[in-house]
Amino acid sequence: MDLMINDQQITLLHPSVNQVVDSINNLLNQDNYYSHMIADGVEIYDDCATYLAGHLADIQTLEVKTKTLMEFIHDNLLLAKDYLDRAIPRVIHLTDRFYKNPSKEDWLAFEELLDGVQWLEKMLTAIDRTNKHPENWGQYTAIFSSLQKVLKNVEEALQSGDTVLIADLVLYEIEPLLKRLSDEIKRTLGVKEQSET
């Protein structure tokens, strides 16, 4: 297998998935962040290790695409903005359902909300580990510190089965924090708010 990253190319003879991943990590540097890979023309963005495990013996050329630090930060913040643009409007409907009697679908939507918040946290943690941050980074960390405290209260409400408390926490604490996070991301990205007419 020929492994290519930027201007570097190495040949791996009968590699394991771990050897391929280790080789990729060794070829990346502090100025380049992993984006995705192309295995014999097939672009792979998600769960690359699983793809490699299933196709490793057949792959002739594996090209790893990278991003600069600023591209990495920008692209992740853009993904977060898009997620928040979709998620925030759904929160009101979800809390209304929890104030009444949440259905199985409502519980699934709530779980998706928590998964989304967890994804946001992982993404911001990845940016936090870099050596550059947006100017307003202190606001991001303050929001996530508050969000982590609220999530502990949500966990307690889940354990007690208190759907009204869950709705209160989502509506009055999580949703405003998500809006603040969205505003900070838009400020970082330079997104202008559209005025309502």
Side-chain angles (χ1 to χ4, degrees), residues 36-49:
H36 65 284
M37 62 178 61
I38 303 172
D40 295 330
V42 177
E43 293 188 0
I44 305 135
Y45 288 90
D46 296 318
D47 207 3
C48 296

Side-chain angles (χ1 to χ4, degrees), residues 92-103 106-107 162-164 167:
I92 301 295
H93 174 73
L94 182 62
T95 53
D96 285 344
R97 303 293 300 155
F98 268 76
Y99 280 127
K100 297 172 184 168
N101 186 18
S103 67
D106 298 327
W107 281 105
D162 189 341
T163 59
V164 171

